[in-house]
Amino acid sequence: KAGVTQTPRYLIKTRGQQVTLSCSPISGHRSVSWYQQTPGQGLQFLFEYFSETQRNKGNFPGRFSGRQFSNSRSEMNVSTLELGDSALYLCASSFAGTSDYEQYFGPGTRLTVT
Amino acid sequence: AQSVTQLGSHVSVSEGALVLLRCNYSSSVPPYLFWYVQYPNQGLQLLLKYTSAATLVKGINGFEAEFKKSETSFHLTKPSAHMSDAAEYFCAVTTYGNNRLAFGKGNQVVVIP
């Protein structure tokens, strides 16, 4: 069974640009969550999508947005990039959006903003 | 809101010695607790989880953790450290029906030969 895949793995962008990251969950999984990992703030929850609907949202500005498609693949978008957005972005998928089911994490996309 | 505290960002342990990583949680409702491991340039891998069943939880790679409600703790242990245990370890908390994980700051474990 293929794991969670994230593309691209590495990305370099300039301040003010926007970026889109992609996450393909494990086949059959309907929940996708996104996390930001930085040395200073650690792992922080961005948002969760379940069956194409955003179920939960963390404390991030509106520049961070996401969506989920009918095949459960998810994208997150960051507009007007800032230097502080440099981070490892992880997505996690689970069969259902409850804590009874394990969340499987992808390898992440490392975003560098210059 | 739930939160976890992990003290000591870097932990050094000798090969063959006990590994002990501490996690204390804060939650107004019964928590679900997790330990994850992250190797360099990889995502997180679940080591074990507590979901209100047995308080002593056994996980992969010889790790186990004990849920102690009176101490609001969920410490991770392994009797004998291996070189392959060198990684970063994260404790996380959520609640029933909720997929949103709140993570601790993590412990970077270094294994000394």
Side-chain angles (χ1 to χ4, degrees), chain B residues 6-86:
Chain B
Q6 293 180 249
L7 297 178
S9 60
H10 285 75
V11 176
S12 293
V13 59
S14 298
E15 191 176 14
L18 171 72
V19 179
L20 169 60
L21 303 179
R22 300 179 187 275
C23 173
N24 287 89
Y25 70 90
S26 172
S27 179
S28 57
V29 297
Y32 279 30
L33 293 156
F34 306 80
W35 276 99
Y36 284 88
V37 62
Q38 186 177 33
Y39 297 99
N41 298 317
Q42 293 186 27
L44 303 176
Q45 181 184 10
L46 181 67
L47 282 175
L48 48 79
K49 65 179 181 181
Y50 167 77
T51 57
S52 75
T55 56
L56 182 61
V57 182
K58 294 187 184 298
I60 62 171
N61 302 339
F63 285 94
E64 65 179 38
E66 186 172 9
F67 172 73
K68 291 186 177 180
K69 184 179 179 180
S70 61
E71 299 177 9
T72 61
S73 69
F74 190 57
H75 301 332
L76 181 72
T77 60
K78 181 175 180 177
S80 177
H82 296 164
M83 296 300 295
S84 59
D85 295 327

Side-chain angles (χ1 to χ4, degrees), chain A residues 9 31 35 37 40-43 45 48 55-58 88 90 94 96-100 102-103 105-107, chain B residues 32 34 36 38 41-47 49 51 88 90 94-105:
Chain A
R9 289 292 310 277
S31 169
Y35 292 84
Q37 185 177 22
Q41 298 300 315
L43 280 153
F45 174 81
E48 180 204 3
R55 280 204 334 169
N56 221 331
K57 190 177 189 306
L88 181 67
L90 295 165
S94 69
T98 71
S99 43
D100 290 337
E102 179 178 344
Q103 292 192 60
F105 282 79
Chain B
Y32 279 30
F34 306 80
Y36 284 88
Q38 186 177 33
N41 298 317
Q42 293 186 27
L44 303 176
Q45 181 184 10
L46 181 67
L47 282 175
K49 65 179 181 181
T51 57
E88 190 154 22
F90 294 93
T94 187
T95 56
Y96 175 75
N98 191 339
N99 236 7
R100 174 178 182 164
L101 294 170
F103 286 90
K105 293 293 189 183

Side-chain angles (χ1 to χ4, degrees), chain A residues 29-68:
Chain A
H29 285 193
R30 294 175 293 167
S31 169
V32 174
S33 298
W34 289 88
Y35 292 84
Q36 181 196 64
Q37 185 177 22
T38 60
Q41 298 300 315
L43 280 153
Q44 293 185 287
F45 174 81
L46 280 157
F47 30 64
E48 180 204 3
Y49 286 86
F50 181 77
S51 294
E52 302 180 64
T53 301
Q54 187 180 85
R55 280 204 334 169
N56 221 331
K57 190 177 189 306
N59 298 322
F60 279 82
R63 300 184 298 108
F64 291 82
S65 63
R67 60 178 175 169
Q68 187 178 34

